[in-house]
Amino acid sequence: MGIDLPLLWAVIILFGVMMYVIMDGFDLGIGILYPFFKKKEDRDVMMNTVAPVWDGNETWLVLGGAGLMAAFPIAYAAVLSAFYLPLVFMLVGLIFRGVAFEFRFKATEHQQHFWDKAFIGGSIAATFFQGVTLGAFIHGIDAIDIHTGAYIGNDILHWLTPFSVFTGLGLVVAYALLGSTWLIMKTDGELQQRMRILTRPLAWILLAVIAVISLWTPLAHEAIAHRWFSLPNLFYFLPVPLLVALTMYHLLRTTKYAHAAPFLLTLALIFLGYSGLGISVWPNIVPPHITIWQASSPSQSQGFALIGVLLILPVILLYTAWSYYVFRGKTRHGEEYH
Amino acid sequence: MIALDALTLARVQFGFTVSFHIIFPALTIGLASYLAVLEGWWLHSRKQVYQDLYHFWLKIFAINFGMGVVSGLVMAYQFGTNWSYFSAFAGSVTGPLLTYEVLTAFFLEAGFLGVMMFGWNRVGPGLHFLSTIMVALGTLVSATWIIASNSWMHTPAGYEIVAGKVVPTDWLQVILNPSFPYRLAHMGVAAFLATALFVAAVAAWHLLRGRQQPAIRKMFSMALWMALLVAPLQALIGDFHGLNTLKHQPAKVAAIEGHWENHASPGMPLTLFGWPDMKREETRYALQIPRLGGLILAHSWDGQIPGLKEFAPADRPNATIVFWTFRIMVGLGVLMIALGVWGFYLRCRKRLYQSRAFMHFALWMGPTGIIAILAGWYTTEIGRQPWTVYGVMRTADAVSTHSALQLGISLVIFVLVYFAVFGAGIVYMMRLAQQGPILNEGKETNPGGPGQLHQPMRPLSAAPAVSKDKEQNTNPGN
């Protein structure tokens, strides 16, 4: 076999998780922004910008889970059993958020506010605990049975650290910014104007979050510091913080007048942050001990599933793009489409 | 009293979450195909009644689908959280199968669902019909992969064990494992049957209130044709499936039959009712028909099958439970066949929409499809115990090493959340069902959404709060 299957699969899973973060990011962001918009009409429009697509966006999370199980069963067992409680809380958040899409429009007037709250609470909880899991993951899992990946520690709150709480809050800000810039693109009039106003402080806060995490991680983990600050790595990775600064500058500038640019720039920002995390933990799939090669399933499994990915994923991207195209343009209240 | 150790809690949690989950996909599979038929028929005949039915069932389908998605998400993660040893051991087989399910089914459903639900006025009728077909296809493909994975756990094939982990050697054998065709047929038909019973019950409810509109009569008629066709078919498939199980999991069949040991003669009796007692190793209060068991299972007058006592006590599934879940499933199946036949008889006498006794029967039969599906799954899954992968990995070795406290916390959370959220969802579904089809309903979007005039009229709402809804509704009963 000339191909490094585990490497390919690591790329596929990184891609799948990134697609999830970007796409469900703005869905969840809308829920996080709900508290700032009290009017029912505004909330209707906000929800309707993603109602036709949110389910497909969430599916990337299932692909990440299934792909991890197929290609790196030991990592799947490790991550899911070690982060048991935060993942359960995340799932419960996603349950409330998901059904709110359906129930909110079917509830009676006086029940609707309950599903509004479910949408808000579910979105915030799902995002926060995703971020907590991410922070705990970067921090690494020690009490692992290397052979099976099962978590063998008995501390059920080992994932709860100041760092993981901070990454949890950080992700809430990141998704809120994805949501607000998405809505700049998909709405107009007064609602859009208010999104523009909200985007600036969110962008500044996110910049601060990125800065803090960029300092905190290498200070707390020697391996990560070595990865970034040893020569010649420093020169290879220097573009990352420079690009962040450049993206940020344009984001703040275009927020005042552009429609799609702020959202695209936010995507770039998220991608840069994500790549930074990737650089930090590579080639571990379960920091600090298990690499992608150690966690791999047999090549018969990785090869079989790879055929499906290579053949089907492009088709999925095509019809997903088509469904976004069908619902292109501004979502307005009280306007007839033809 | 069972000790609430981590293993028991993990099994209860899996059973609880999967029981709730299966309700939704079962109806999703049936309703998606039903919607495709309705839309196709509407395009073909241009009869308004089909379009009205399409929009009516689309709303119920949408709620049901949403609940299926979120409860399914929990299932996809539970293998890793609660059964990490199983995932590390057999993830090399179940992982790729789940990956194919996501790639070929979940994305297909999700990608076209938006167009199906909100695109009535945004794409042409041909593209919209294609979207409905794609969603229906997605549900069937999804069932195929997940049944393949589950069947493999019952009748593993096409693999070897290297260094304590499963290595797939032949994917065709893995997927087309010995019990796969039977399980797939049995579950697929069960989904159609359960949906037909649900549709028939909704129609019966309206007919009993004197609402004899064409749309309601039409769905009553369609559902009863379906029941007439698939209820007997399901019994036949079930019989074949049972023989397949006898071949591969004889202990399960012995437990289902409450059959402990063979006597010299005559052949094996069929135990109709009784109380299989695991401790005393006998079925108490048994009501038996001589020779019939052997006749059904071995297809011969003196037929015998292995009794439970031929298996070590540690390898026996709990006969007390599966004996009864199996009988509930079969008993309901007999009633379903009766419903189909009675409906056919009334149809021939031109009294299908007049017989109130029959309508009451159809109404009561509404939830039985779902109940039978649950009973069937309990039979096969509890009957697989003490194995997770049959004969290869015991359930006790598959479970994560979590403290009972952690599992207890999550179980309580799931129970509370599921009853609240899915309880509300089922209430909304029933409310929509009560409203009945609306004449000439065409614009299907959410308030504030594309194609939506800003009016208080909310066609998607199940709420009677808005008076404009009433004007839309031509039900004389309202």
Side-chain angles (χ1 to χ4, degrees), chain B residues 269-331:
Chain B
L270 179 76
T271 308
L272 284 181
F273 299 109
W275 192 261
D277 189 321
M278 297 303 288
K279 283 213 175 61
R280 287 167 50 166
E281 299 191 320
E282 61 172 340
T283 298
R284 296 157 69 186
Y285 325 112
L287 172 68
Q288 298 183 317
I289 301 176
R291 293 186 182 271
L292 191 57
L295 210 56
I296 292 173
L297 286 159
H299 290 202
S300 83
W301 190 240
D302 294 317
Q304 301 271 17
I305 68 160
L308 264 181
K309 281 189 183 175
E310 291 176 37
F311 304 91
D315 295 345
R316 294 173 194 167
N318 186 315
T320 321
I321 299 174
V322 297
F323 180 92
W324 279 103
T325 52
F326 179 78
R327 273 149 190 77
I328 290 168
M329 174 181 80
V330 171

Side-chain angles (χ1 to χ4, degrees), chain A residues 9 40-41 44-45 48 51-71 73-74 76-78 80-85 87-92 94-99 101-109 111-112 115 145 147-157 159 297-298 300-309 312-313 316 319-320 322-323 325-338, chain B residues 13 59 62-63 65-67 69-71 73-82 84-88 91-100 102-104 106-115 117-119 121-123 127 131 145 160 163-169 171 175 400-403 405-407 409-411 413-414 417-418 420-422 424-426 428 431-432 443 446-454 458 460-466:
Chain A
W9 265 104
K40 183 182 131 30
E41 288 76 17
D44 285 352
V45 170
N48 276 322
V53 292
W54 75 270
D55 180 24
N57 297 347
E58 195 183 81
T59 304
W60 290 96
L61 183 66
V62 191
L63 181 66
L68 195 63
M69 185 175 173
I74 289 172
Y76 174 84
L80 270 65
S81 62
F83 302 135
Y84 187 94
L85 285 179
L87 287 172
V88 166
F89 298 148
M90 176 195 86
L91 288 171
V92 168
L94 289 173
I95 289 174
F96 277 105
R97 187 281 298 250
V99 296
F101 272 103
E102 276 305 318
F103 294 178
R104 193 177 163 272
F105 290 113
K106 293 183 171 67
T108 53
E109 297 288 338
Q111 273 178 357
Q112 198 175 43
W115 295 113
D145 174 346
H147 185 64
T148 60
Y151 179 70
I152 44 178
N154 43 20
D155 174 10
I156 64 172
L157 294 177
W159 45 272
S297 61
Q300 293 92 326
S301 302
Q302 290 189 333
F304 174 66
L306 183 69
I307 297 167
V309 171
I312 304 165
L313 209 56
I316 290 171
Y319 66 66
T320 303
W322 173 72
S323 74
Y325 175 77
V326 167
F327 297 100
R328 68 194 175 278
K330 303 283 184 187
T331 308
R332 294 195 180 93
H333 208 286
E335 194 208 325
E336 196 78 42
Y337 273 86
H338 297 286
Chain B
Q13 185 171 125
K59 288 179 277 188
I63 287 200
F65 187 89
M67 293 194 282
V69 166
V70 293
S71 58
L73 192 64
V74 174
M75 299 314 304
Y77 276 76
Q78 201 166 156
F79 297 116
T81 52
N82 289 352
S84 51
Y85 286 96
F86 163 74
S87 300
S92 50
V93 163
T94 53
L97 297 177
L98 280 175
T99 305
Y100 270 94
V102 181
L103 289 169
T104 57
F106 291 164
F107 277 114
L108 198 69
E109 290 170 306
F112 287 95
L113 185 83
V115 178
M117 274 166 43
F118 304 101
N121 303 315
R122 294 201 134 215
V123 297
L127 265 183
S131 300
W145 288 112
E160 57 188 3
K165 293 200 171 64
V166 172
V167 174
T169 50
W171 279 103
I175 296 165
S400 302
T401 44
H402 289 309
S403 63
L405 170 71
Q406 185 157 254
L407 282 156
I409 293 171
S410 59
L411 180 61
I413 290 173
F414 279 129
V417 168
Y418 274 41
V421 168
F422 300 134
I426 290 165
Y428 288 137
R431 248 197 238 157
L432 284 166
K443 297 212 179 302
N446 281 335
Q452 178 72 32
L453 277 168
H454 179 35
R458 299 189 299 149
L460 255 179
S461 160
V466 185

Side-chain angles (χ1 to χ4, degrees), chain B residues 163-235:
Chain B
K165 293 200 171 64
V166 172
V167 174
T169 50
D170 181 345
W171 279 103
L172 261 184
Q173 278 187 41
V174 168
I175 296 165
L176 303 174
N177 61 74
S179 64
F180 166 72
Y182 301 94
R183 284 174 202 283
L184 181 63
H186 206 38
M187 182 62 214
V189 171
F192 283 107
L193 188 51
T195 307
L197 290 161
F198 178 59
V199 173
V202 171
W205 189 87
H206 286 286
L207 289 170
L208 281 168
R209 276 155 189 71
R211 297 175 196 159
Q212 294 275 356
Q213 296 128 310
I216 288 167
R217 283 185 166 207
K218 178 61 73 181
M219 66 178 167
F220 196 50
S221 163
M222 287 172 97
L224 287 165
W225 275 124
M226 192 72 186
L228 176 68
L229 287 173
V230 295
L233 177 70
Q234 181 71 325

Side-chain angles (χ1 to χ4, degrees), chain A:
Chain A
M1 285 292 281
I3 353 173
D4 190 347
L5 279 172
L7 191 71
L8 260 178
W9 265 104
V11 172
I12 290 166
I13 285 167
L14 279 170
F15 173 76
V17 173
M18 192 190 74
M19 287 296 282
Y20 172 76
V21 167
I22 286 172
M23 296 171 91
D24 210 24
F26 60 78
D27 298 344
L28 289 161
I30 289 170
I32 297 166
L33 294 172
Y34 250 44
F36 297 99
F37 299 87
K38 293 273 191 285
K39 266 169 57 191
K40 183 182 131 30
E41 288 76 17
D42 291 343
R43 289 184 169 188
D44 285 352
V45 170
M46 287 162 73
M47 193 181 257
N48 276 322
T49 61
V50 292
V53 292
W54 75 270
D55 180 24
N57 297 347
E58 195 183 81
T59 304
W60 290 96
L61 183 66
V62 191
L63 181 66
L68 195 63
M69 185 175 173
F72 306 107
I74 289 172
Y76 174 84
V79 171
L80 270 65
S81 62
F83 302 135
Y84 187 94
L85 285 179
L87 287 172
V88 166
F89 298 148
M90 176 195 86
L91 288 171
V92 168
L94 289 173
I95 289 174
F96 277 105
R97 187 281 298 250
V99 296
F101 272 103
E102 276 305 318
F103 294 178
R104 193 177 163 272
F105 290 113
K106 293 183 171 67
T108 53
E109 297 288 338
H110 65 273
Q111 273 178 357
Q112 198 175 43
H113 77 95
F114 174 78
W115 295 113
D116 275 349
K117 289 187 178 70
F119 190 58
I120 296 166
S123 299
I124 292 174
T127 307
F128 176 73
F129 285 106
Q130 266 172 34
V132 166
T133 308
L134 180 71
F137 173 81
I138 296 167
H139 187 73
I141 318 166
D142 272 323
I144 288 270
D145 174 346
I146 298 275
H147 185 64
T148 60
Y151 179 70
I152 44 178
N154 43 20
D155 174 10
I156 64 172
L157 294 177
H158 69 97
W159 45 272
L160 193 64
T161 60
F163 181 71
S164 69
V165 170
F166 185 81
T167 49
L169 294 171
L171 202 66
V172 172
V173 178
Y175 285 0
L177 183 66
L178 271 171
S180 73
T181 51
W182 162 263
L183 287 165
I184 288 175
M185 189 167 71
K186 294 295 286 183
T187 62
D188 54 8
E190 191 219 355
L191 185 59
Q192 186 195 36
Q193 211 43 48
R194 289 169 64 197
M195 290 295 165
R196 291 190 191 283
I197 294 165
L198 198 61
T199 297
R200 290 180 70 80
L202 282 174
W204 280 112
I205 298 170
L206 184 64
L207 185 66
V209 166
I210 292 174
V212 170
I213 291 176
S214 305
L215 292 171
W216 196 336
T217 332
L219 286 176
H221 304 89
E222 205 162 314
I224 295 177
H226 184 77
R227 169 66 47 86
W228 283 87
F229 302 130
S230 64
L231 295 172
N233 286 11
L234 185 60
F235 294 106
Y236 294 148
F237 300 144
L238 199 60
V240 178
L242 292 178
L243 282 170
V244 167
L246 190 71
T247 313
M248 194 67 207
Y249 166 75
H250 282 289
L251 174 62
L252 288 165
R253 200 174 54 82
T254 54
T255 295
K256 295 176 200 146
Y257 58 87
H259 289 265
F263 179 65
L264 297 172
L265 288 161
T266 307
L267 290 190
L269 201 61
I270 301 281
F271 173 76
L272 288 167
Y274 187 77
S275 66
L277 293 174
I279 290 168
S280 296
V281 297
W282 187 266
N284 283 328
I285 191 156
V286 185
H289 299 307
I290 303 181
T291 68
I292 55 172
W293 293 277
Q294 287 167 317
S296 278
S297 61
S299 59
Q300 293 92 326
S301 302
Q302 290 189 333
F304 174 66
L306 183 69
I307 297 167
V309 171
L310 295 181
L311 289 177
I312 304 165
L313 209 56
V315 181
I316 290 171
L317 291 170
L318 273 176
Y319 66 66
T320 303
W322 173 72
S323 74
Y324 272 84
Y325 175 77
V326 167
F327 297 100
R328 68 194 175 278
K330 303 283 184 187
T331 308
R332 294 195 180 93
H333 208 286
E335 194 208 325
E336 196 78 42
Y337 273 86
H338 297 286

